[in-house]
Each structure stands twice: as C-alpha cells, then as structure tokens.
Amino acid sequence: MRAVVFRTFGGPEVLEVAETPLPEPGAGQIRIKVAAAALNPADLSLRAGRFGSRGLGTDLERLGLGLDVAGVVDGLADGISSPEVGTAVIAMVAGVREFKAYAEYVVVDAAAVAVAPGSVDLVHAATLPVGALTADEALTLVAAQPGDRILITGAAGGVGGYAVQLARHAGLHVVAHSHPGDAALLRELGAHEAVSDLDGPTFDAAFDAAGLGDAVFASVRDNGAYVTTRPDLLPDTQRGVRVSAVQAAPDGPRLAQLAALVDQGVLTPRVAMTYPLAEAAKAHAHFAEGGVRGRLVLVP
C-alpha cells in the first residue's frame, strides 16, 4: 500500500509517499480501507519536531501521520465481530506508529471505532473524530449550566466550530471569538454573539480553543471555568477560576454519540479542500498558512 511518511523532522518537504506492507490487525484491532484522512494541527507539530523525539526512539527511521480517519472496515482480528467488514466507519488513530491515517489502509483499536454518520460523505465524516471529541471533552471539563455565558475562541476552526455547536445544543449562551470576517459563519454555526475583542470578566466559562492564554483567562468571572487546548499555557489558579487543559483520546462510544448528532443536524462537518495522498506536503503548506475555514482532507 501507499502511505505518507517522514524520516526527519522539518517542513512539509520532508513528507514522502512510500510503498509499504499492508498492515495486519492485531489483537482487538480492525483494518480500515481509508477513504479520507483530515489534517490536524498536531500532525504539523509532530512533523516539525515540536514534540521532540519523546517516544520515537533514537532512530526516527520513518513515521506516519494522521489522527482522523474515515473509511470502510476491511479486516478484523480474531474475536472481533463488529463493526462488520464493509461497514463505513470513523476513528481517531492514537499513538506513535510507522503508519497512520495518511495511507491507503490503517489498523486501529476496535474500541476507537464508530459507525460513520450516514447523512454526510466519508470526506466530511473524516473531520469529526479529533475535532468533535476535543470539543466535547472541553465542554465536559467546563461543566457549564444551561444559560451560562461561554466564550469560545478559535470558533471558526475545526475544534472551535464543533464547540460552538455543542455548546448551543447544551443550552449555553455562546459567544464566539474569531476574526471580524467570520461573524456570519459563527452565527450560522449557532453562536448567539460573534466578537473579535475581549473586554472584562463577563463570561461564566471559556474554552480557549485558539490557545490565546491570559486575555481569555482574564475574561472569565471569579469562580468560573477556563479550559485550553494548550497545556503549556495553562494559567495558575486564581480568583477561584477552575483551570484545565483538554486533550482528545480515542473513544468509540463517545464518537458514536457525536456521529448521531451529525445525523440529527446538530453538528456540521466542514471541508475546506481535498488533496490526493501524493500532495500531502502541499496540504501541510496550505494549512500552515492559516486562515483555513474547515478541514483540509487527504483522499487516497
């Protein structure tokens, strides 16, 4: 099979397509024939070496990328009977491994897999796992109550957009923060208010999906809640504000619930552009430019 790999840290140019053996599912795993793999910021960070070489060993050799996958079940390990071969599925691919979702096939733990939403194609479904799981976990950590005012930064992005929709669905008063030109999009996603500036501690809670830090923390009232995607920017607890950092983890049952919300019209997967697998480097360069509204998706 073909897979996108890199052998050294660096810019998009280090990505290459390699011919690799077809992966075999091990105990508790399934093999997915990949229909689409969405790009995430973590992919760019890993490729660039921003996480360092932790867990990668002393010899990088070659590593794959891709946390978000949508495709069709192609093979099952002994003892795994569901989902059946031929079922359209989505999953978050975890861990450091040689081949991940930027490939024609990928092996994942069965516990990470959910049946794909039936109301959208697999290219759109591929944007769901990491973004929606992160947003859902962030709102769990926020623990806001219906009617509370919540600020969501990076609200036009992949994670922030899902957070806006989930927060609105939960009955929160959603104030979405992004560039002024995104106001119409944010209201379309369900935000009650769209802002580009912050002014004072006016929010019961904040999900800082953009990782802006101190200015967002300062906008939360005393005894409120602040959740960020950047654990390295986690502020010290003060004024009674609960602080925490969110990190998505594979969770098939939770992902199935989020897929159901797509079919109910609560969540709207957004795709900005697709690229063939061979143009992974071009897709990474596009993503790095910023300003992408919706996910970039690789299609084998």
Side-chain angles (χ1 to χ4, degrees):
M1 71 165 189
R2 295 179 308 138
V4 174
V5 301
F6 64 103
R7 304 169 195 271
T8 185
F9 296 124
E13 71 280 355
V14 303
L15 298 180
E16 60 180 283
V17 177
E19 288 293 334
T20 63
L22 184 70
E24 295 297 333
Q29 294 183 323
I30 71 170
R31 184 172 62 214
I32 298 172
K33 179 176 172 57
V34 178
L39 274 65
N40 281 281
D43 297 331
L44 276 66
S45 293
L46 179 59
R47 183 214 70 222
R50 296 190 190 108
F51 298 145
S53 57
R54 292 193 309 274
L56 303 183
T58 55
D59 184 1
L60 188 60
E61 294 186 354
R62 62 183 182 184
L63 289 174
L65 292 169
L67 300 174
D68 275 328
V69 64
V72 176
V73 177
D74 175 74
L76 302 168
D78 291 342
I80 302 295
S81 59
S82 178
E84 297 179 349
V85 170
T87 303
V89 296
I90 53 178
M92 177 180 171
V93 185
V96 176
R97 57 182 71 184
E98 189 175 10
F99 311 121
K100 296 178 81 171
Y102 293 8
E104 293 179 312
Y105 295 85
V106 66
V107 167
V108 299
D109 292 340
V113 175
V115 174
S119 58
V120 297
D121 60 34
L122 288 176
V123 172
H124 284 78
T127 72
L128 191 67
V130 173
L133 285 169
T134 302
D136 191 43
E137 176 62 18
L139 293 178
T140 298
L141 292 170
V142 163
Q145 300 302 309
D148 283 354
R149 287 171 54 83
I150 183 170
L151 172 68
I152 298 173
T153 69
V159 172
Y162 281 133
V164 168
Q165 294 188 306
L166 288 171
R168 178 68 183 249
H169 184 61
L172 305 182
H173 182 94
V174 181
V175 181
H177 180 276
S178 190
H179 298 292
D182 292 325
L185 168 63
L186 299 179
R187 292 189 181 280
E188 183 180 331
L189 290 173
H192 294 89
E193 302 175 49
V195 301
S196 55
D197 295 306
L198 300 174
D199 183 22
T202 59
F203 302 102
D204 300 297
F207 172 35
D208 191 8
L212 301 181
D214 291 343
V216 178
F217 179 76
S219 74
V220 178
R221 64 165 175 81
D222 293 357
N223 303 311
Y226 171 87
V227 176
T228 179
T229 56
R230 293 282 303 274
D232 56 319
L233 297 180
L234 197 65
D236 294 331
T237 300
Q238 51 185 294
R239 300 187 290 110
V241 178
R242 292 183 291 106
V243 299
S244 53
V246 62
Q247 184 171 7
D251 187 333
R254 194 172 198 172
L255 187 55
Q257 294 172 352
L258 295 164
L261 292 179
V262 174
D263 288 335
Q264 293 168 25
V266 174
L267 294 180
T268 306
R270 294 177 294 138
V271 173
M273 192 171 180
T274 62
Y275 288 87
L277 202 63
E279 294 185 4
K282 186 176 179 180
H284 269 230
H286 182 180
F287 200 1
E289 291 172 357
V292 176
R293 296 297 178 256
R295 285 292 191 225
L296 303 179
V297 181
L298 296 178
V299 179

